[in-house]
C-alpha cells in the first residue's frame, strides 16, 4: 500500500511538470529518462490489483500469478479502498503515457496504446478525457484529464439538452454556456448518484427503458383490441342488419376483461412513470428553483415571503451539513414537515413546467 501511494505521488509530480507545456524541451528530457515499457508495466501492476481477472488473462499460465488460488471471500473495506487507489494510480500513469506520446517523434508510444500492451486500456480510455486548447502563437494544445467519478451519473437527456441549447456563436459563448450550466448539471449528477445508492430507486432507474417499452407497446395493444373487437350491438347481438337500430357501441364479450386488465396495467405504468419523473427530474428542478430564488432580494407580500428561503437554507447541501449531528425530533413533532419541505411542496404544486414530461 505504501509503495502504491509512493508511485501515485511520483506520477502526479511528473504530471505537474507536463502541465501547460507547449515546448518539447521538458517532455523530450522525460522521454530520454523514462522507458515507455516501464510506464506500461506500472500500469499493468496496478491493473492486477483492481482487476485481477484481466491480469489472469494476460499472464502466462506458467506464471506464479496464474497458479495463485483465487480468494472467494468477499473483499474487505480495506481491500476495496486499496483497489480503488490502484485504479487511480493507473489512470495517472495512463495520462502521463498519452501526454508524452504526443511528443514522441518515433510514434512508438502511440503504437503501444493497445490492449496487448496496456491490459485495461478500454476502461482507462473511458475515464480519461481530452480538451483542445488554442493558444495564440502556440497552436493547438491537447490537455488530458481524469474524468471525475460523479460525471458518469449524468443522464443522456441532460447531455443532449446541453448540446442542443448551447450558444455556438464562438468558443467564448460555448464556454460561457457550459459554465452557466455546470452547477445545475453537478446537482443533477449528485442526485443521480444518490438514486443509485438506494436499491429500490436504482431498480427503477435501471428498468426505465424496459418500462417505457412496455408502456408504449401496451398502448398499441389496447388500441388494436379496440379496433378489432369494438363494434355495435343490436338487440343483444353483434350481428346487425341493414335496418336495425344501432343501440350500443361496446367491445365483444370475452375481450372486455382483457382490455380492462391491460388498461389497469397502463394506468399503473402511467402513475409510476410520473412518479419516477418527479423523483429523477423534478427534485433537482425544485432545488434549482429554491436556490435561484434565494439569490434575489427578499420579496414583498406574505405568500411570496413564505416561499422565500435564505441562502443557508436554500442550499440543501449546506442545510444538511448544518443540521448534521443535531438530535432528531420525536413524537408528533417528527411528523411535522420542515420549512424547506413545505416550500418544495408548494413549488411542486404551482410550477406548471414541472408536470410536463
Amino acid at each position: 500500500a505504501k509503495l502504491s501511494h509512493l508511485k501515485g505521488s511520483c506520477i502526479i509530480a511528473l504530471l505537474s511538470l507536463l502541465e501547460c507545456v507547449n515546448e518539447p524541451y521538458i517532455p523530450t528530457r522525460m522521454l530520454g529518462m523514462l522507458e515507455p515499457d516501464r510506464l506500461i508495466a506500472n500500469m499493468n501492476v496496478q491493473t492486477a490489483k483492481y482487476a485481477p481477472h484481466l491480469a489472469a488473462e494476460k499472464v502466462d499460465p506458467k506464471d506464479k500469478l496464474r497458479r495463485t488460488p483465487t480468494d472467494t471471500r468477499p473483499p474487505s473495506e480495506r481491500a476495496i479502498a486499496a483497489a480503488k487507489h490502484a485504479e487511480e494510480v493507473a489512470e495517472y500513469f495512463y495520462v502521463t503515457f498519452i501526454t508524452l506520446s504526443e511528443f514522441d517523434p518515433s510514434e512508438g508510444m502511440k503504437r503501444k496504446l493497445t490492449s496487448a500492451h496496456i491490459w485495461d486500456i478500454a476502461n482507462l480510455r473511458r475515464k480519461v478525457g481530452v480538451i483542445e486548447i488554442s493558444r495564440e502563437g502556440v497552436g493547438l494544445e491537447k490537455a488530458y484529464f481524469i474524468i471525475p467519478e460523479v460525471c458518469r451519473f449524468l443522464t443522456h437527456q441532460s447531455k443532449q439538452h446541453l448540446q442542443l441549447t448551447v450558444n455556438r456563436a464562438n468558443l467564448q459563448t460555448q464556454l460561457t454556456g457550459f459554465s452557466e450550466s455546470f452547477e445545475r448539471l453537478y446537482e443533477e449528477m449528485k442526485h443521480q448518484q444518490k438514486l443509485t445508492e438506494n436499491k429500490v430507486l436504482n431498480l427503477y432507474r435501471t428498468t426505465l427503458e424496459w418500462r417505457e417499452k412496455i408502456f408504449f407497446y401496451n398502448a398499441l395493444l389496447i388500441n388494436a383490441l379496440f379496433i378489432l373487437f369494438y363494434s355495435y350491438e343490436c338487440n343483444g347481438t353483434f350481428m346487425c342488419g341493414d335496418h336495425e337500430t344501432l343501440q350500443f357501441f361496446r367491445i365483444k364479450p370475452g375481450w372486455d376483461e382483457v382490455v380492462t386488465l391491460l388498461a389497469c396495467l397502463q394506468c399503473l405504468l402511467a402513475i409510476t412513470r410520473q412518479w419516477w419523473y418527479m423523483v429523477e427530474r423534478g427534485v433537482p428542478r425544485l432545488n434549482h428553483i429554491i436556490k435561484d430564488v434565494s439569490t434575489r432580494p427578499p420579496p414583498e407580500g406574505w405568500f411570496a415571503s413564505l416561499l422565500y428561503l435564505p441562502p443557508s437554507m436554500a442550499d440543501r447541501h449546506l442545510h444538511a451539513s448544518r443540521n448534521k449531528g443535531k438530535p432528531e425530533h420525536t413524537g408528533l413533532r417528527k411528523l411535522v414537515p420542515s420549512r424547506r419541505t413545505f416550500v418544495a411542496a408548494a413549488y411542486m404544486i404551482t410550477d406548471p413546467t414541472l408536470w410536463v414530461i
Side-chain angles (χ1 to χ4, degrees), residues 79-342:
I80 294 174
K84 185 177 181 181
H85 182 264
E87 188 172 9
E88 293 176 356
V89 175
E91 291 168 4
Y92 287 125
F93 271 104
Y94 179 71
V95 172
T96 305
F97 188 89
I98 57 179
T99 302
L100 289 175
S101 67
E102 296 292 332
F103 298 92
D104 183 16
S106 65
E107 296 189 353
M109 296 181 71
K110 290 184 178 180
R111 288 193 292 269
K112 293 183 178 181
L113 290 172
T114 61
S115 59
H117 295 86
I118 303 174
W119 297 343
D120 197 25
I121 190 169
N123 176 53
L124 295 173
R125 279 175 174 167
R126 285 195 303 267
K127 294 192 173 184
V128 174
V130 58
I131 57 174
E132 295 180 340
I133 306 173
S134 179
R135 299 183 185 275
E136 186 177 356
V138 176
L140 199 63
E141 173 191 347
K142 287 185 177 181
Y144 296 93
F145 62 94
I146 298 174
I147 301 173
E149 187 71 16
V150 73
C151 289
R152 69 185 180 93
F153 296 101
L154 185 63
T155 59
H156 180 67
Q157 293 85 350
S158 296
K159 292 179 183 178
Q160 283 189 324
H161 181 267
L162 180 63
Q163 293 175 355
L164 295 174
T165 58
V166 67
N167 187 351
R168 302 179 182 274
N170 52 60
L171 295 176
Q172 185 64 38
T173 57
Q174 291 185 38
L175 183 60
T176 303
F178 174 76
S179 301
E180 293 174 349
S181 304
F182 174 75
E183 186 175 355
R184 175 181 57 81
L185 295 175
Y186 181 74
E187 288 290 334
E188 179 189 333
M189 288 185 286
K190 295 293 289 183
H191 180 67
Q192 291 290 333
Q193 186 177 16
K194 286 186 176 181
L195 295 182
T196 59
E197 293 171 355
N198 187 294
K199 293 183 179 179
V200 177
L201 296 178
N202 189 44
L203 177 64
Y204 269 90
R205 187 184 66 86
T206 54
T207 59
L208 175 62
E209 185 178 354
W210 286 102
R211 286 186 288 108
E212 289 294 313
K213 289 181 179 179
I214 294 173
F215 183 81
F216 176 73
Y217 289 117
N218 190 55
L220 290 182
L221 180 59
I222 292 174
N223 284 276
L225 292 177
F226 278 133
I227 293 173
L228 295 174
F229 303 106
Y230 225 81
S231 63
Y232 282 105
E233 182 184 15
C234 307
N235 299 322
T237 67
F238 289 90
M239 303 298 292
C240 299
D242 295 338
H243 301 289
E244 291 188 79
T245 303
L246 303 179
Q247 297 175 343
F248 301 103
F249 189 64
R250 66 187 186 91
I251 198 166
K252 294 180 180 180
W255 291 101
D256 52 351
E257 293 85 357
V258 177
V259 172
T260 302
L261 180 62
L262 294 177
C264 292
L265 175 61
Q266 190 74 355
C267 182
L268 179 62
L269 291 172
I271 293 173
T272 56
R273 191 168 182 255
Q274 183 67 40
W275 172 80
W276 177 249
Y277 169 76
M278 291 299 299
V279 170
E280 185 185 39
R281 315 294 296 181
V283 173
R285 176 174 172 80
L286 289 174
N287 292 327
H288 177 72
I289 292 174
I290 294 173
K291 195 172 181 180
D292 183 59
V293 172
S294 68
T295 59
R296 306 170 190 170
E300 298 179 359
W302 69 271
F303 185 74
S305 60
L306 189 65
L307 298 181
Y308 177 81
L309 293 177
S312 59
M313 191 179 296
D315 191 333
R316 63 189 182 97
H317 299 295
L318 182 60
H319 181 65
S321 62
R322 289 191 173 185
N323 291 333
K324 189 177 182 181
K326 291 184 179 181
E328 296 183 358
H329 298 301
T330 57
L332 294 176
R333 194 175 179 184
K334 189 176 182 180
L335 302 176
V336 178
S338 63
R339 183 183 173 187
R340 195 181 193 284
T341 304
F342 171 77

